[in-house]
Amino acid sequence: MLGLFYPYGIVLQAIALLHFARRRPDMYWLWIILLGGGLGALIYIVVEVIPDVGLVRGAFQVFPRRKRIKELEGLILDNPSIGNYEELGDLYLDDQQFARARECFDRVIAKTDEIDPHYRRALCELALEDFTSAAADLEPVVARDPKYDYQRAAGLRAHALARLGDREKADALFVQVLETSTLSETQYNYACFLADAGRGGEAREWAERILRKKATMPDYIRRRERPWFRKAAALFKRVR
């Protein structure tokens, strides 16, 4: 049986180990990969790697996205419309070119009062750690639609206020949002806020609340939430 995997067993193990290092699934998989050889690695790939393909679909869209970026960069020279700048800003944001995306949304916001460009510019500003501008951009978004993007906008505004040192407003907004929101991002940011405020017991409770989700989540959601589980576990250890 093992001969069927020779000489490809080492390649399968390398693929499995690389994926394990990046995605950090349950630790028992590491022993299956190492002790099971090519067969163990193949089982891991079938169970863990293949279902993850949907989560990394964006990585396979890099070249089409950048091709479209080049097209739009040329197109806006002749047709600097709001639509072209908004699409280019979205593509820059997906490509993690946050400064360029912000410049595009600057142009869009100058010509429209829609809240979505403000929200997307705030995402750029948070990535650039410009929390003052992010809080300002998120203010009209939350004022006009408190539940915008499943309350993520409100949660991010609370996070920006916390990073700016406005603890009273941040705390009140976090509490308000988390009465109904179950976003792990917001829960984690609140836990970090509590830890920084010296409220370690409460921070542990929120970190533990994130970790408890693993037991009841469907597999496809649990895969998406893994980064937050890792961050919550690290925070739990730090404040323990």
Side-chain angles (χ1 to χ4, degrees):
M1 182 67 177
L2 295 177
L4 295 175
F5 296 96
Y6 180 82
Y8 306 108
I10 295 177
V11 176
L12 292 174
Q13 282 183 299
I15 294 171
L17 288 171
L18 179 61
H19 180 274
F20 180 89
R22 291 182 174 179
R23 298 295 297 165
R24 302 290 181 86
D26 294 321
M27 185 59 66
Y28 65 80
W29 280 115
L30 181 61
W31 301 109
I32 292 176
I33 296 168
L34 295 176
L35 301 179
L39 179 59
L42 180 62
I43 294 172
Y44 174 83
I45 290 170
V46 171
V47 176
E48 290 288 333
V49 179
I50 293 176
D52 266 359
V53 170
L55 297 178
V56 298
R57 187 176 293 115
F60 297 104
Q61 296 176 344
V62 170
F63 296 111
R65 180 171 63 240
R66 291 183 178 173
K67 179 180 179 182
R68 181 57 179 163
I69 286 174
K70 291 295 182 182
E71 292 174 352
L72 284 168
E73 286 174 341
L75 185 59
I76 60 175
L77 297 176
D78 298 321
N79 182 20
S81 67
I82 293 178
N84 286 337
Y85 270 111
E86 191 164 14
E87 182 183 356
L88 184 58
D90 286 339
L91 291 170
Y92 278 144
L93 181 59
D94 290 340
D95 206 44
Q96 299 186 16
Q97 299 187 51
F98 301 115
R100 290 186 173 184
R102 180 180 183 174
E103 292 173 1
C104 290
F105 292 125
D106 286 343
R107 292 178 176 269
V108 175
I109 290 169
K111 297 182 179 181
T112 181
D113 64 349
E114 295 294 326
I115 60 176
D116 187 67
H118 282 278
Y119 175 66
R120 296 191 176 280
R121 186 169 70 175
L123 296 180
C124 301
E125 290 158 348
L126 288 169
L128 295 169
E129 298 190 352
D130 183 355
F131 299 107
T132 300
S133 298
D137 264 328
L138 289 167
E139 183 175 10
V141 178
V142 175
R144 289 172 60 179
D145 186 354
K147 296 183 178 180
Y148 193 81
D149 197 12
Y150 303 97
Q151 296 182 278
R152 189 185 181 209
L156 290 175
R157 174 164 165 74
H159 173 58
L161 291 171
R163 293 299 300 269
L164 291 171
D166 194 340
R167 292 185 175 181
E168 185 175 348
K169 285 186 179 180
D171 196 9
L173 186 53
F174 269 129
V175 170
Q176 178 184 340
V177 173
L178 288 170
E179 286 181 354
T180 53
S181 174
T182 59
L183 290 178
S184 296
E185 178 184 38
T186 305
Q187 293 175 336
Y188 173 76
N189 286 337
Y190 187 43
C192 289
F193 165 76
L194 293 170
D196 292 341
R199 297 158 63 181
E202 295 174 81
R204 286 195 301 274
E205 289 177 7
W206 280 99
E208 191 174 15
R209 185 175 300 194
I210 296 170
L211 296 172
R212 284 200 303 265
K213 295 179 183 181
K214 294 175 68 175
T216 57
M217 276 184 173
D219 287 344
Y220 74 97
I221 297 180
R222 187 162 58 244
R223 294 175 191 282
R224 187 184 64 199
E225 293 284 289
R226 276 178 185 164
W228 297 114
F229 293 149
R230 290 200 296 270
K231 291 179 179 181
L235 178 63
F236 185 84
K237 290 179 181 178
R238 178 165 67 87
V239 297
R240 185 165 56 186

